[in-house]
Amino acid sequence: MSKFLKFECDLENFIAALKSLLAKNSSSVEELLAQESKSYSSFVKPMQIMEERLEHFFTPLSHLNAVNNSEATQAVYSESLPIITEYSTKLSQNIEIYKVYKTILESEQESLNYEQLRVLELNIKHFEQSGAHLDDATKKRLEEINIRLSELSNNFSQNLLNATNEFEYLITDEADIEGLPESEIASAKQEDAEGNISYKFTLQMPSYIAYMTYGKNAEIREILYKAYTTRAPENGAIIEEILALKDEMSKLLGYKNYVAYSLSSKMAEDEQSVLSFLQNLLKNSKTQAQKELEELQAIAPQALRSFDTAFYAEVLKKEQYEIDEEEYRPYFEQRSVLNGMFTFLERLFGIRFVKAEEQLWDAKAFAYDVYLEDKLRARVLFDLEARESKRGGAWMHNWQSHHRDAAGEEQLASAFVVCNFPPSSETSPSLLRHDDVVTLFHEMGHTIHHILSTVDENEVSGVNGVEWDAVEFPSQFLENFAYEPEVLKMFASHHQTGETLPDSMIEKLVKSKNFLSAMGMLRQLEFSLFDMQVHNGVYTQEEVQTILDKIREDSSLVQTPSYNKFQNGFAHIFAGGYAAGYYSYKWAEVLSADAFYAVIDEGVFDSKTAKRYLKIVLNGGGAKSMSRLFKELMGREPNTDQLLRLNGIK
Ligand SMILES: [Zn+2]
């Protein structure tokens, strides 16, 4: 029998089957709780396996809804969501389960292995972070806070959206649109009833970015910039309320402030370690950022202002760094890239990809089995080409997780890799941009992190249980190799002439990647520092502004106009999931750059660090904290210098 699930999704009977599975699960929970004596093996293990089975059943539907979207998948998917939510909410509020976990953790502390301990610890933390274990009055207040917070974040986005949509600027003088790409001009162009032509620019993407990047007229750029950075002033009051409520919530849950609450489930230890991490990057990027700014300044007729930088950056890029994607495409034929990546992974880690004959959801989708030392380890299901029914973007979606079942039988992992590469046809191959190659490596980095895990407990196997600020480490690690000449030359050859991608073209890729990288770094650090500092207490609107101004003294090389209220549009942290977590982007990049250069410096295919990376990080999954795994891998704490090196910052 196959070790892997067969891909199938019976839309017609899905809801009925889901309901019956959940009903069965719910009664299993009752039975498990009713047992007289409960242990890890008689309680935690079956609970975990139950969740794994649910993933097995549900994942094909969410996958299908994303890659073969239709009215039918949408209908079934949206009908299933509230059913699943109701089930998981009930589970996460079942305080009896929490109590059993606590008892088992205490009584079996000595006999359980670290994987099992981590399963218990994560589950217990999950309960405690929701406050399910607290008294009724506190729970009630937490619930009120949560409801209000979700209203506030919704209002924040809505205000921003309204302000974005309200504004438009009409250009009537053709001279003002000179230099914009044809496609942007075409989408801006409009004609009124009298046949007058004008060009409409708005604060929506990509219209706003287009004028800021290509628009010659600085006065118009300033008008747009001012409109953009003064959107939704009413969000200032919302920020005040959000900060107060988040602080209250964190204290009710037993944390010093919201930063402490957020970091308690992340890899980063505490506020101070994140702040000094960010400050250190800032200090080391500043000199180069200054030089980059001087380079920009040299081509500008007057002192650069906030609304000039994107424009002159584009001018400079065109002159010196721009790469023509069309020139590169013939070297990146999809199948050669994929096979080349397989060969690279085989040489780096000893894993082998063997085509598997499987009927999948689309004729273009295909499966590979993955072997390590001739032992079958996992399956990957690829769906790489764009089509109308597929959601945009690229992602890895885990399906089965490696574990041992209740009988001690080993179960293997599987995952989907989805991209939106140009479709191939019988007469023309799918030719990729270099960015696409990077994307494929990135998603493959997530994939091998999931499927090569040797952990026996599914809830902490592969990407399960990995801290939020560390999940991008394995993907970025692998992605970095897509810029390495030695790796690129394994597959980048012209699909017609067979010529290998020349060194000069590879060099250009790296240069263009690092174009104005220190200035970009400063900007990201400004956002991250602001996010950390604004979430460590309760602040008024004026205080929020003071915090931001203070950070900018250090991070902003061009004076920001005082009307700029960037914070009122920072939806990532005030309306999304990044509160006290925006630093994660840079955090994971540091880990990945550090491990990457250890491999490069040892010689890619002779690298001992690469072998250890397989054993420690990939096999280790989420069963240990990433900070422990990283220390085991490198024998030390992460070193930010390697990220600077990766960005070409000296
Ligand atoms: Zn990713």
Side-chain angles (χ1 to χ4, degrees):
M1 213 185 84
S2 171
K3 286 269 190 190
F4 303 106
L5 295 169
K6 188 161 173 42
F7 187 89
E8 51 197 2
C9 186
D10 176 2
L11 289 176
E12 218 161 289
N13 300 303
F14 193 89
I15 295 294
L18 176 67
K19 282 183 177 161
S20 103
L21 178 63
L22 294 182
K24 212 176 102 206
N25 280 3
S26 298
S27 62
S28 300
V29 173
E30 293 309 314
E31 282 164 30
L32 290 171
L33 280 170
Q35 298 174 101
E36 200 142 311
S37 79
K38 293 177 272 292
S39 65
Y40 191 92
S41 59
S42 77
F43 186 83
V44 186
K45 192 76 188 180
M47 288 285 286
Q48 260 195 99
I49 301 286
M50 220 172 66
E51 289 306 294
E52 173 77 14
R53 298 243 166 86
L54 182 55
E55 291 277 340
H56 291 181
F57 176 76
F58 193 72
T59 302
L61 175 66
S62 49
H63 176 72
L64 208 61
N65 189 48
V67 300
N68 265 357
N69 188 281
S70 67
E71 272 176 31
T73 66
Q74 282 171 34
V76 178
Y77 188 66
S78 45
E79 193 180 345
S80 70
L81 283 184
I83 303 174
I84 284 272
T85 308
E86 197 201 322
Y87 165 81
S88 47
T89 309
K90 233 168 76 193
L91 264 191
S92 68
Q93 286 169 354
N94 189 334
I95 197 70
E96 294 309 313
I97 301 176
Y98 167 73
K99 285 183 191 155
V100 176
Y101 282 156
K102 289 275 275 191
T103 315
I104 294 174
L105 180 62
E106 250 167 61
S107 59
E108 297 183 49
Q109 185 100 46
E110 300 299 318
S111 56
L112 294 175
N113 65 34
Y114 73 87
E115 296 180 357
Q116 297 165 324
L117 288 173
R118 176 116 163 140
V119 169
L120 282 171
E121 280 157 14
L122 291 184
N123 272 295
I124 290 170
K125 185 174 278 173
H126 194 73
F127 274 106
E128 292 180 348
Q129 287 209 317
S130 72
H133 62 308
L134 299 173
D135 63 77
D136 286 344
T138 314
K139 269 200 288 205
K140 189 159 170 288
R141 179 61 191 146
L142 282 169
E143 201 182 300
E144 284 165 10
I145 293 176
N146 276 328
I147 292 172
R148 183 64 187 148
L149 277 174
S150 70
E151 276 169 13
L152 288 171
S153 72
N154 187 43
N155 295 349
F156 188 98
S157 325
Q158 194 58 53
N159 292 340
L160 197 57
L161 186 67
N162 293 347
T164 306
N165 292 341
E166 264 159 28
F167 178 91
E168 59 177 57
Y169 184 82
L170 293 184
I171 294 178
T172 45
D173 187 348
E174 301 245 335
D176 290 335
I177 53 154
E178 211 178 281
L180 269 93
E182 286 301 324
S183 58
E184 301 295 349
I185 295 177
S187 42
K189 191 171 179 175
Q190 54 180 24
E191 195 176 340
D192 67 13
E194 284 86 52
N196 301 313
I197 303 282
S198 64
Y199 301 88
K200 184 172 89 177
F201 287 87
T202 69
L203 302 182
Q204 285 151 356
M205 301 300 162
S207 177
Y208 173 70
I209 283 293
Y211 205 86
M212 296 308 288
T213 310
Y214 304 102
K216 265 170 57 166
N217 187 330
E219 274 166 43
I220 297 177
R221 287 204 307 270
E222 182 170 17
I223 292 169
L224 291 169
Y225 174 83
K226 189 165 184 181
Y228 191 80
T229 56
T230 53
R231 286 175 304 163
E234 62 276 36
N235 278 353
I238 293 186
I239 293 175
E240 272 185 9
E241 198 181 342
I242 287 179
L243 295 179
L245 287 175
K246 285 196 163 162
D247 190 71
E248 184 187 348
M249 180 197 82
S250 310
K251 292 198 163 93
L252 287 175
L253 291 169
Y255 297 94
K256 189 176 103 194
N257 55 29
Y258 189 78
V259 170
Y261 164 79
S262 165
L263 295 187
S264 72
S265 57
K266 296 190 172 76
M267 174 186 169
E269 207 163 316
D270 53 23
E271 184 178 341
Q272 197 42 53
S273 58
V274 176
L275 287 179
S276 46
F277 160 80
L278 296 169
Q279 295 288 5
N280 180 39
L281 280 174
L282 180 65
K283 192 179 82 204
N284 287 304
S285 308
K286 223 172 154 177
T287 316
Q288 173 142 342
Q290 228 120 27
K291 277 196 204 123
E292 290 172 359
L293 187 70
E294 279 161 28
E295 224 186 324
L296 280 189
Q297 187 60 70
I299 58 166
Q302 80 293 319
L304 283 171
R305 298 151 298 182
S306 297
F307 46 87
D308 294 325
T309 44
F311 177 78
Y312 289 103
E314 184 58 30
V315 174
L316 185 66
K317 189 173 170 190
K318 249 202 205 98
E319 275 175 17
Q320 296 180 15
Y321 299 93
E322 194 159 59
I323 61 165
D324 177 1
E325 290 290 358
E326 296 314 308
E327 228 179 286
Y328 283 81
R329 271 188 206 277
Y331 294 91
F332 297 127
E333 190 275 317
Q334 190 200 116
R335 279 303 167 128
S336 322
V337 172
L338 188 70
N339 290 327
M341 184 177 68
F342 289 162
T343 312
F344 163 65
L345 290 171
E346 180 166 0
R347 287 188 58 193
L348 195 65
F349 298 128
I351 51 177
R352 225 158 30 82
F353 289 79
V354 178
K355 188 102 201 265
E357 289 314 319
E358 274 283 322
Q359 191 72 29
L360 298 176
W361 54 91
D362 186 274
K364 289 275 184 75
F366 52 91
Y368 272 85
D369 284 340
V370 182
Y371 290 80
L372 180 63
E373 284 152 7
D374 287 324
K375 187 175 168 284
L376 178 62
R377 289 293 300 274
R379 174 166 288 181
V380 186
L381 308 169
F382 291 92
D383 185 352
L384 301 182
E385 298 187 4
R387 62 177 166 272
E388 224 171 274
S389 58
K390 196 195 269 188
R391 175 155 68 83
W395 63 91
M396 182 283 291
H397 194 162
N398 46 310
W399 190 11
Q400 294 168 270
S401 297
H402 178 274
H403 68 282
R404 272 181 204 282
D405 64 18
E409 222 23 69
E410 184 181 30
Q411 301 296 323
L412 302 182
S414 63
F416 304 96
V417 175
V418 183
C419 296
N420 270 285
F421 297 155
S424 57
S425 71
E426 278 187 16
T427 48
S428 67
S430 164
L431 302 178
L432 311 186
R433 293 173 305 140
H434 180 258
D435 273 359
D436 297 328
V437 178
V438 175
T439 301
L440 183 63
F441 273 66
H442 180 101
E443 300 310 333
M444 205 59 200
H446 282 307
T447 306
I448 57 176
H449 188 203
H450 185 67
I451 62 170
L452 295 180
S453 178
T454 50
V455 172
D456 290 336
E457 307 297 320
N458 51 282
E459 284 187 359
V460 293
S461 176
V463 296
N464 302 326
V466 175
E467 295 99 332
W468 193 78
D469 48 354
V471 275
E472 295 299 325
F473 162 32
S475 51
Q476 291 169 348
F477 169 78
L478 207 66
E479 168 186 326
N480 292 336
F481 288 98
Y483 288 92
E484 266 310 293
E486 199 181 352
V487 177
L488 279 173
K489 286 178 176 179
M490 293 175 72
F491 56 82
S493 49
H494 197 285
H495 75 111
Q496 281 158 332
T497 66
E499 180 213 6
T500 306
L501 187 66
D503 284 321
S504 58
M505 284 177 78
I506 298 177
E507 213 173 289
K508 229 173 144 197
L509 282 176
V510 176
K511 271 207 183 125
S512 121
K513 170 176 78 94
N514 289 340
F515 176 61
L516 301 187
S517 60
M519 284 176 72
M521 175 82 83
L522 250 52
R523 209 173 133 75
Q524 288 299 313
L525 293 171
E526 179 177 307
F527 298 168
S528 307
L529 282 164
F530 173 68
D531 168 43
M532 284 305 280
Q533 291 179 22
V534 88
H535 279 113
N536 70 10
V538 179
Y539 299 107
T540 63
Q541 294 186 54
E542 293 71 32
E543 288 166 333
V544 167
Q545 188 63 54
T546 310
I547 291 173
L548 186 55
D549 291 344
K550 191 101 192 54
I551 294 168
R552 279 180 177 156
E553 278 174 22
D554 238 4
S555 66
S556 188
L557 302 180
V558 176
Q559 177 77 37
T560 312
S562 60
Y563 59 72
N564 178 318
K565 296 279 172 197
F566 156 78
Q567 61 271 39
N568 295 340
F570 199 2
H572 264 84
I573 66 167
F574 295 122
Y578 281 85
Y582 198 84
Y583 74 92
S584 296
Y585 289 109
K586 288 287 158 233
W587 189 266
E589 276 176 31
V590 164
L591 305 181
S592 56
D594 202 355
F596 169 71
Y597 279 118
V599 173
I600 294 292
D601 292 344
E602 290 165 353
V604 178
F605 300 117
D606 303 317
S607 165
K608 290 202 170 65
T609 302
K611 311 289 176 278
R612 280 212 310 279
Y613 178 83
L614 169 66
K615 288 267 172 299
I616 296 170
V617 177
L618 299 181
N619 291 353
K624 283 184 195 170
S625 156
M626 193 60 89
S627 59
R628 275 181 67 187
L629 294 180
F630 191 86
K631 247 174 268 172
E632 280 177 37
L633 173 71
M634 304 294 286
R636 56 166 175 75
E637 300 287 335
N639 176 0
T640 51
D641 291 353
Q642 302 295 4
L643 177 62
L644 300 170
R645 178 177 168 194
L646 187 69
N647 284 281
I649 300 174
K650 276 147 219 127

